[in-house]
């Protein structure tokens, strides 16, 4: 544990600074490229992208829409957990309910060690949201949009403010994937050092990476008809069933997996569970979102 959370591996705490070298040009490229940047720099395995939502890159990201202050906050924080409810947890598999699905994830038997990382875009993403809040409040006055809570500040999707935010948010999402992939790299290095081995020999493959604070344009069935929707997920992950075109090839037969921290338990100190979404899950979760 001491090595895992040492100054040369995973760093925690408010304002913590990482050990992954990054300059201003690297940051611009990471904001645009997401995990493609991590792959180019040698921090991830090629297969990691195949087990990641959007393959670790939002194509509409535009680093020019990210403020200088946001970039300044994000530059030194790559590869860090931060504070709040973010964590890296070393876990042991206690029980397997679906052996076939677990095997597809690389989970073979009770007693197997896994690592779960919960983190995002750090100070950069927080600043992107703060900047957008100011812009959107002005847009709401201009367009006469009224909401019950200031935290629900918004703008029309096709307005300049709406498009600026979507492009900046996508860049922040790319930063989050780079951040988590950097921590995956540091985690692999820590285990390799502890066991005097290599990440390959330790079979440290990534199971899945999925966002839970994001807005994306998606196609869904509403009242039996396909509609284009802006899906906002705050503290929630996707619920795509087997054979959905947007989930990884490896998981096409089993459906998307998530680690639903909030609705399995209400505490990070109680055992988490991997869940699989089935065919009925998508329509059920969407109906709950729209009701």
């Amino acid at each position: 544990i001491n090595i895992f959370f040492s100054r040369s591996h995973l760093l925690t705490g408010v304002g913590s600074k990482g050990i992954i070298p990054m300059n201003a040009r690297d940051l611009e490229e990471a904001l645009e490229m997401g995990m493609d940047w991590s792959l180019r720099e040698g921090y991830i395995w090629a297969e990691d992208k195949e087990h990641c939502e959007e393959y670790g890159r939002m194509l509409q990201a535009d680093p020019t829409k990210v403020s200088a202050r946001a970039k300044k906050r994000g530059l030194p924080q790559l590869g860090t957990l931060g504070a709040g409810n973010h964590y890296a947890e070393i876990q042991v598999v206690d029980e397997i309910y679906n052996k076939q699905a677990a095997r597809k994830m690389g989970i073979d038997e009770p007693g197997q060690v896994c690592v779960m990382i919960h983190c995002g875009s750090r100070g950069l993403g927080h600043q992107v949201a703060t900047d957008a809040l100011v812009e959107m409040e002005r847009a709401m006055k201009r367009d006469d949009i009224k909401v019950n809570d200031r935290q629900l500040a918004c703008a029309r999707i096709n307005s300049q403010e709406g498009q600026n935010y979507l492009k900046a948010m996508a860049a922040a999402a790319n930063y989050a994937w780079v951040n988590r992939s950097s921590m995956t790299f540091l985690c692999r290095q820590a285990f390799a050092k502890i066991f005097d081995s290599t990440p390959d020999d330790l079979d440290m493959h990534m199971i899945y990476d999925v966002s839970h604070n994001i807005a994306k344009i998606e196609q869904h069935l509403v009242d039996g008809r396909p509609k284009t929707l802006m899906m906002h997920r705050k503290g929630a992950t996707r619920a795509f069933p087997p054979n959905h075109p947007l989930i990884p090839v490896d998981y096409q037969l089993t459906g998307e997996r998530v680690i639903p921290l909030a609705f399995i338990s209400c505490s990070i100190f109680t055992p988490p569970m991997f869940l699989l979404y089935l065919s009925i899950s998508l329509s059920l979760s969407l109906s709950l979102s729209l009701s």
Side-chain angles (χ1 to χ4, degrees):
I1 295 295
N2 290 336
I3 293 177
F4 191 67
F5 290 108
S6 69
R7 293 178 62 87
S8 59
H9 293 94
L10 294 186
L11 295 174
T12 64
V14 176
S16 53
K17 297 181 179 180
I19 64 169
I20 301 291
M22 174 174 269
N23 56 38
R25 180 178 177 181
D26 290 327
L27 179 59
E28 293 288 327
E29 293 175 345
L31 291 174
E32 180 180 354
M33 297 171 62
M35 285 178 68
D36 285 332
W37 182 87
S38 301
L39 182 61
R40 187 192 72 186
E41 298 298 314
Y43 292 122
I44 63 171
W45 301 346
E47 68 179 51
D48 290 349
K49 287 186 55 184
E50 301 299 318
H51 291 173
C52 186
E53 178 185 4
E54 301 290 340
Y55 297 99
R57 181 176 185 177
M58 296 278 281
L59 296 177
Q60 64 268 47
D62 184 350
T64 67
K65 304 302 181 183
V66 179
S67 70
R69 176 161 175 73
K71 292 173 182 177
K72 182 179 180 179
R73 292 182 65 180
L75 185 59
Q77 294 186 332
L78 192 65
T80 63
L81 277 170
N85 67 343
H86 292 171
Y87 64 87
E89 185 174 86
I90 300 173
Q91 304 170 340
V92 177
V93 176
D94 184 56
E95 192 169 358
I96 297 175
Y97 299 95
N98 185 327
K99 292 184 179 180
Q100 180 181 1
R103 197 172 297 115
K104 290 293 291 183
M105 290 187 268
I107 298 174
D108 299 314
E109 58 186 359
Q112 188 171 342
V113 175
C114 298
V115 177
M116 183 186 295
I117 295 174
H118 172 213
C119 189
S121 49
R122 301 288 278 111
L124 182 142
H126 187 279
Q127 191 63 46
V128 164
T130 300
D131 295 339
L133 190 65
V134 176
E135 269 201 355
M136 289 184 178
E137 284 184 328
R138 288 198 293 261
M140 289 170 66
K141 290 180 181 178
R142 181 193 66 213
D143 297 336
D144 196 29
I145 299 173
K146 295 180 173 59
V147 294
N148 294 327
D149 190 316
R150 181 175 179 269
Q151 292 297 316
L152 296 176
C154 58
R156 301 188 188 282
I157 294 172
N158 292 322
S159 68
Q160 187 66 53
E161 295 82 4
Q163 288 300 302
N164 285 347
Y165 175 67
L166 289 175
K167 293 172 182 178
M169 181 210 64
N174 286 346
Y175 180 91
W177 279 312
V178 172
N179 188 36
R180 286 193 295 272
S181 62
S182 297
M183 285 187 282
T184 299
F185 167 78
L186 294 171
C187 174
R188 285 168 172 160
Q189 296 302 305
F191 269 72
K193 181 176 182 178
I194 293 167
F195 293 102
D196 191 22
S197 184
T198 68
D200 280 306
D201 289 339
L202 293 172
D203 201 24
M204 296 188 71
H205 300 280
M206 188 167 78
I207 295 176
Y208 202 51
D209 184 313
V210 64
S211 304
H212 72 282
N213 287 326
I214 201 164
K216 297 164 70 176
I217 296 175
E218 297 174 356
Q219 293 279 342
H220 289 278
L221 288 177
V222 179
D223 296 329
R225 296 182 179 182
K227 293 196 72 172
T228 300
L229 304 174
M230 174 64 73
M231 299 297 297
H232 294 257
R233 296 187 176 97
K234 175 64 178 174
T237 61
R238 297 192 314 194
F240 290 167
N243 304 313
H244 194 285
L246 293 182
I247 62 177
V249 173
D250 286 351
Y251 298 146
Q252 279 289 314
L253 297 179
T254 59
E256 198 158 35
R257 63 260 305 108
V258 288
I259 305 92
L261 181 68
F263 60 80
I264 283 298
S265 65
C266 294
S267 168
I268 62 172
F269 300 107
T270 53
M273 298 177 70
F274 286 99
L275 293 188
L276 294 177
Y277 280 121
L278 306 178
S279 298
I280 193 176
S281 305
L282 183 57
S283 59
L284 178 61
S285 61
L286 186 62
S287 66
L288 290 173
S289 299
L290 297 177
S291 61

